[in-house]
Amino acid sequence: MMAFILNPFERTSEQKQLLIGLVTLLLGAVLGYAFNARFDGVFDLHFTQKVSYAEPLFDLLITCGICAVLLFGLGKFINSKTRLVDVLYPTLWAKAPFVLITFFNIRQASYLTGNQILEAFQNGGNYEPSAASLALLLAEAVVMLSALIISVIWLFNGFKVATNSKGIRNNIYFILVLLLAEILSKYFISVIH
């Protein structure tokens, strides 16, 4: 069971992978709008005061698109038989854990807490959170770290299945491509927005 959770791509049909990827995009767009979330990087999620209805979908399309194209290019370098869809689906799936994090901003809870901490830090004061705020921060930190780990594992395992990638050198290329995807997606979202 754990093997399936960590690498669902070997045993999941392409149709199901596509369906889950599309649901992730749509759910991310809806929840991002509902909870004022921006997916402004491959591994980023930030809450803002207000987002337009199109911003979360736009963020997801940019980040997933850049990541998929770069991984596809690396995949072609490693194995000429690599198909774009085989790296696209894990890229879409990898956003699912971040989509679930949007619930932490119900009634702007995460955004307001973050702003209180930032203001206290900028003013040189101490931030003394309430028990509820502290619990929210700790839970969000644990879930964010878990989301990051799961996202990277899904991307890595999906890429390995798509390209038949083996060896440390290819793993290093993979890491470098993810870092480049993070940088480029942040850049393009900031420039276009």
Side-chain angles (χ1 to χ4, degrees):
M1 181 65 173
M2 184 57 93
F4 177 76
I5 291 170
L6 296 177
N7 190 2
F9 308 105
E10 289 181 328
R11 295 190 177 133
T12 306
S13 71
E14 282 189 28
Q15 293 81 11
K16 285 183 183 176
Q17 288 184 42
L18 174 62
L19 179 63
I20 291 170
L22 292 176
V23 167
T24 298
L25 278 179
L26 294 176
L27 195 58
V30 170
L31 292 176
Y33 175 68
F35 299 117
N36 296 312
R38 296 294 310 267
F39 302 94
D40 55 350
V42 175
F43 301 111
D44 287 327
L45 169 74
H46 295 100
F47 297 114
T48 63
Q49 186 172 13
K50 191 75 178 150
V51 298
S52 72
Y53 68 91
E55 285 174 325
L57 179 60
F58 173 76
D59 294 345
L60 289 166
L61 291 173
I62 293 288
T63 57
C64 291
I66 288 173
C67 190
V69 166
L70 291 176
L71 287 176
F72 177 64
L74 177 59
K76 280 293 198 185
F77 174 74
I78 293 169
N79 179 350
S80 63
K81 295 181 181 178
T82 301
R83 300 181 315 156
L84 179 60
V85 294
D86 293 334
V87 294
L88 176 63
Y89 299 154
T91 302
L92 295 173
W93 281 44
K95 282 305 207 182
F98 291 97
V99 168
L100 297 177
I101 294 170
T102 59
F103 288 106
F104 279 99
N105 204 37
I106 292 174
R107 288 187 231 149
Q108 292 286 77
S110 184
Y111 174 74
L112 294 173
T113 301
N115 276 352
Q116 290 170 352
I117 293 169
L118 186 61
E119 285 175 20
F121 180 74
Q122 289 173 341
N123 297 330
N126 291 332
Y127 174 69
E128 295 182 20
S130 66
S133 293
L134 186 59
L136 175 72
L137 287 172
L138 291 174
E140 188 174 358
V142 168
V143 172
M144 282 284 254
L145 182 59
S146 300
L148 176 63
I149 291 168
I150 290 168
S151 184
V152 171
I153 288 171
W154 280 353
L155 279 170
F156 181 73
N157 287 332
F159 182 76
K160 280 179 64 175
V161 169
T163 63
N164 197 25
S165 176
K166 294 180 174 92
I168 293 174
R169 184 179 65 186
N170 289 343
N171 293 347
I172 292 170
Y173 290 155
F174 174 80
I175 292 167
L176 292 174
V177 164
L178 286 186
L179 292 173
L180 181 60
E182 176 72 16
I183 292 166
L184 288 176
S185 62
K186 283 192 143 322
Y187 173 76
F188 281 113
I189 288 171
S190 69
V191 168
I192 296 170
H193 186 261

